[in-house]
Amino acid sequence: MFNYLFKQIGGQLSSNKSITTKQKSKLPLQLFIQYENNEVEPGMNLGQLEVANQPIVYYPPDIGQGPYTLVVVDPDSPDPKNPIYKEWIQWMMVNIPKNKLNQGQTVLPYSSPTPPLGTHRYIFYLYDQMGKVLPPDLTYTRQGFNRSTFLWKYGIFAAPLAMNYFMVSTLNEEGVNLNL
C-alpha cells in the first residue's frame, strides 16, 4: 500500500497517511527512478550523497500520447515548517519523446537535493503534453515555482501520468543526516 495520500490527484503529498486500494487505483502510475544501484520506492529516505547525480528515470512506453514534461520539485523549501518558496524546481524537462528522456529539452538541469533545514520531499511528476510542443526558449528560476500556473499556461490540464518521491534530510558538519 502506498504510504502517501493525495488531497486531490496531482495535489499536495501528505507523507503521514495511507490510502485504500480503491483510492490507489485512481493515482498516477509509479515513475521509476534509479540512482546508481538504488531504485527509489515511494517515500524512502535517501542520503544527499546517494542523490548527488542525475538519476535514470523511466516509465511504461505506452502511457499517454506524448510528448511529456518531467518536473521535479521540493515543496518544503527552505524549511518544512515554513515552506515560503513552496515549490523549488530541482529539474525540469519538456518535449520528451515517448520513453526517451535523453532526447527531451532541458529547461533547468538536475540539481542535487541539499535541504537547508529538516527533511524535504522531492517529488517527480511526469505529465502528458497531449501532442503539444512547448516553446524551445522556456526559462524559469528554481525558487517559487508554481506548477499549477505552469501547467495552465501551457494547456496541460490532466493529472500527472506517473510520479514518485523520496525524502532527504539536512546533513550535519560530519556529513550525517540530522533527521534520520
Side-chain angles (χ1 to χ4, degrees):
M1 185 178 210
F2 287 101
N3 64 348
Y4 55 90
L5 169 71
F6 291 99
K7 290 182 183 171
Q8 58 185 3
I9 297 298
Q12 295 294 318
L13 287 174
S14 172
S15 61
N16 60 356
K17 297 184 180 177
S18 295
I19 60 170
T20 66
T21 302
K22 184 176 180 181
Q23 291 169 318
K24 180 178 169 182
S25 68
K26 296 179 183 178
L27 293 175
L29 294 172
Q30 180 177 330
L31 192 59
F32 295 97
I33 305 163
Q34 186 169 344
Y35 286 95
E36 301 293 323
N37 296 321
N38 197 3
E39 191 167 298
V40 174
E41 293 295 326
M44 73 188 302
N45 286 303
L46 295 169
Q48 289 183 25
L49 296 176
E50 293 176 283
V51 295
N53 298 316
Q54 180 176 310
I56 296 169
V57 177
Y58 52 101
Y59 45 90
D62 58 346
I63 63 170
Q65 177 181 346
Y68 304 101
T69 292
L70 175 70
V71 179
V72 181
V73 297
D74 170 357
D76 302 315
S77 184
D79 180 352
K81 294 177 183 171
N82 187 21
I84 59 174
Y85 300 143
K86 300 296 179 206
E87 290 185 316
W88 183 281
I89 304 177
Q90 295 297 128
W91 188 16
M92 183 179 200
M93 295 188 71
V94 298
N95 301 328
I96 303 166
K98 280 204 178 267
N99 220 12
K100 297 181 181 174
L101 190 70
N102 62 342
Q103 294 179 15
Q105 173 198 341
T106 300
V107 176
L108 285 168
Y110 180 77
S111 175
S112 177
T114 54
L117 297 166
T119 299
H120 290 229
R121 296 165 293 163
Y122 293 89
I123 308 170
F124 287 63
Y125 295 98
L126 182 73
Y127 291 97
D128 190 345
Q129 293 172 205
M130 299 171 282
K132 300 175 181 127
V133 176
L134 302 187
D137 58 348
L138 290 176
T139 57
Y140 281 90
T141 58
R142 294 187 188 276
Q143 180 178 315
F145 179 69
N146 186 313
R147 194 167 29 91
S148 297
T149 301
F150 168 80
L151 296 171
W152 182 261
K153 179 177 180 177
Y154 293 105
I156 303 171
F157 302 121
L161 289 175
M163 56 190 302
N164 201 339
Y165 82 106
F166 57 85
M167 298 183 293
V168 176
S169 297
T170 304
L171 295 179
N172 67 12
E173 293 170 3
E174 289 83 34
V176 176
N177 285 344
L178 292 175
N179 300 317
L180 289 181

